[in-house]
Amino acid sequence: MAKARLLAPWVDEERRSAIYHCVSRVVDRAYKFGDAEREQFVKYMRMYEAFCGVRVLSFCVMSNHFHILVEVPPRMDAELSDEALLDRLSLICNKDYVEMIRMRLTALAESTTEKGKEAYAELREQFTQRMWDLGHFMKTLKQKFTRWYNANNGRKGTLWEARYKSVLVEDGHAARVMAAYIDLNPVRAGMIKDSKDYRWCSYAEAVAGGKRGELARRGLARVMQERDNQGEINTAYDGWVGFPTPEHYGWRSVAQRYRLILFEDGEEVCNMQGKQLRRGFSKEEREAEEERGGELSLAEKLRCKTRYFVDGGVIGGKRFVSDVVGRLRGGYLKEDRKSSGSRVPAYKQTGGEQGAELWSMRELG
């Protein structure tokens, strides 16, 4: 019989968040994830992150496993309105189903009988019990990805080796070390020389910017954030109030400090004879990075943003992209697609025409 999973002892007892490092591997540790699979996994991860109300602080999707550093706030059902619940439900369910739940909630909310009130509470609990919960977040994420992967590869059965592994991580220094460990995975594996060049990790996504990159930036800002004037962690922090937003943190400072941590923790390890025992940055590379303070050059930043040029379904001026998206809705694109594209970050710094902007439509469907 499987041993019960270790959860923070204050869960359901204190209004205090908990941070976990979660890992899951493909069955037989086979290398099954290419670019498309890793991209789809990140898409689902963000979808269920928003629905469950957890915060992904750091992540990395490798060829046969993934790492996620996730913060789970305490349950906050009392503060979640019916409209907010339906908004979250729309992230993972189709429009017709959400509308049906909306009608049921509305009808039950107006009931004056005890039976009606109980039915209303039970209907809400059917969904809210899946929120602010590590197990439900990981379970639904893995199941959703498995169904997608099996359907696209003509296979059946389990995709994952076993239950995911989770480690409770202390806020502050331990969380920063764990986040760096996760982002350094592709460097340690010899896949790339610098984490900024591995698209499916939090650091590279943060450097690239854009809408999804902003979520990664907030996660890393949270990892780097101290809570009070004494520099100690406020253990009563609930994971929502005061969570870093673009208005309350300076990404440039966060990025520089975090990059220095990556180079310090990611230095290669060699034996007395100079043989490399663990891949990583050379001493010279670490010292050079420290010399420039962890600041990426403009050219490096722009290279990290090139995915907007190679992965965008449409690219051009804002009016052009919006017009194409509008014409494609209900056919090539979903009818309820909200986004009409996003501005390509840092384009104005590349010497483009005065006042000109480039926009890109990404994540088709």
Side-chain angles (χ1 to χ4, degrees):
M1 184 175 181
K3 187 176 181 180
R5 188 173 300 282
L6 187 154
L7 295 176
W10 56 84
V11 170
D12 297 328
E13 295 181 7
E14 303 176 31
R15 295 201 61 74
R16 177 180 174 186
S17 63
I19 298 175
Y20 301 90
H21 172 215
C22 301
V23 183
S24 194
R25 301 182 184 279
V26 170
V27 66
D28 296 329
R29 306 199 176 191
Y31 295 94
K32 292 183 175 293
F33 299 162
D35 293 359
E37 288 75 22
R38 286 177 282 206
E39 188 72 17
Q40 191 67 31
F41 184 90
V42 173
K43 180 178 179 180
Y44 285 148
M45 179 190 73
R46 292 303 187 189
M47 180 190 303
Y48 283 100
E49 173 191 22
F51 172 76
C52 293
V54 300
R55 304 290 193 184
V56 172
L57 306 184
S58 178
F59 73 90
C60 185
V61 187
M62 300 291 282
S63 301
N64 65 353
H65 69 284
F66 67 83
H67 297 261
I68 300 178
L69 185 67
V70 58
E71 181 174 28
V72 183
R75 289 179 63 85
M76 304 184 76
D77 182 42
E79 298 182 22
L80 191 66
S81 67
D82 287 353
E83 199 60 39
L85 187 153
L86 290 166
D87 285 343
R88 289 197 190 186
L89 195 59
S90 67
L91 297 171
I92 63 172
C93 299
N94 63 55
K95 185 166 56 176
D96 292 339
Y97 181 77
V98 175
E99 188 57 33
M100 180 191 72
I101 297 300
R102 180 190 301 276
M103 294 172 64
R104 289 179 61 189
L105 281 172
T106 301
L108 291 171
E110 297 173 352
S111 176
T112 58
T113 67
E114 285 302 316
K115 186 175 181 179
K117 293 177 181 178
E118 289 178 3
Y120 171 75
E122 289 174 0
L123 181 56
R124 283 180 55 87
E125 180 64 17
Q126 178 182 332
F127 303 109
T128 58
Q129 68 176 349
R130 298 160 59 186
M131 299 176 185
W132 310 292
D133 183 277
L134 177 68
H136 279 292
F137 168 66
M138 291 297 295
K139 178 182 178 180
T140 51
L141 170 59
K142 291 176 66 177
Q143 286 180 341
K144 179 70 173 180
F145 182 78
T146 296
R147 287 195 294 271
W148 175 87
Y149 183 87
N150 285 353
N152 281 271
N153 290 275
R155 71 184 297 275
K156 297 179 179 180
T158 182
L159 176 64
W160 306 102
E161 184 176 67
R163 294 200 309 168
Y164 68 91
K165 296 181 179 179
S166 62
V167 176
L168 179 63
V169 181
E170 184 181 12
D171 204 347
H173 176 68
R176 288 192 288 276
V177 170
M178 189 63 77
Y181 165 80
I182 291 171
D183 275 322
L184 285 167
N185 257 249
V187 175
R188 297 298 192 194
M191 300 172 72
I192 41 87
K193 287 288 293 180
D194 191 322
S195 298
K196 68 178 174 56
D197 300 319
Y198 188 75
R199 172 171 172 163
W200 302 279
C201 74
S202 46
Y203 177 62
E205 191 165 86
V207 172
K211 182 178 179 180
R212 207 167 77 181
E214 184 56 49
L215 293 174
R217 290 183 177 188
R218 293 181 68 185
L220 293 181
R222 165 68 182 89
V223 167
M224 299 295 290
Q225 187 181 52
E226 299 293 346
R227 289 294 181 277
D228 60 22
N229 295 332
Q230 287 73 45
E232 297 177 352
I233 298 300
N234 173 9
T235 56
Y237 176 69
D238 63 18
W240 288 85
V241 179
F243 192 87
T245 63
E247 294 77 24
H248 294 93
Y249 72 83
W251 167 244
R252 181 176 179 180
S253 174
V254 169
Q256 291 173 346
R257 290 184 291 130
Y258 187 68
R259 184 168 177 80
L260 291 177
I261 290 175
L262 288 176
F263 272 75
E264 180 180 353
D265 292 359
E267 187 172 348
E268 64 183 355
V269 176
C270 301
N271 61 18
M272 296 294 292
Q273 289 72 43
K275 181 180 179 180
Q276 188 182 65
L277 302 177
R278 187 174 67 175
R279 295 187 183 98
F281 307 110
S282 67
K283 179 181 178 182
E284 292 72 24
E285 288 172 325
R286 176 182 61 77
E287 292 176 344
E289 197 61 45
E290 291 175 349
E291 180 68 25
R292 67 174 184 171
E295 172 73 10
L296 291 176
S297 68
L298 177 59
E300 288 173 314
K301 292 177 182 177
L302 290 174
R303 280 199 297 272
C304 291
K305 299 176 188 296
T306 56
R307 69 184 191 190
Y308 283 88
F309 294 92
V310 299
D311 294 330
V314 182
I315 194 163
K318 181 178 181 179
R319 180 179 296 180
F320 173 78
V321 174
S322 296
D323 178 63
V324 172
V325 172
R327 290 169 179 265
L328 294 177
R329 281 197 179 98
Y332 188 74
L333 299 177
K334 294 179 180 179
E335 182 65 39
D336 59 353
R337 179 187 173 96
K338 297 179 180 179
S339 173
S340 294
S342 58
R343 186 173 66 82
V344 178
Y347 170 70
K348 286 186 175 182
Q349 302 178 44
T350 66
E353 298 177 22
Q354 184 67 31
E357 289 186 338
L358 279 182
W359 284 66
S360 171
M361 179 187 78
R362 300 180 62 244
E363 299 179 3
L364 306 184

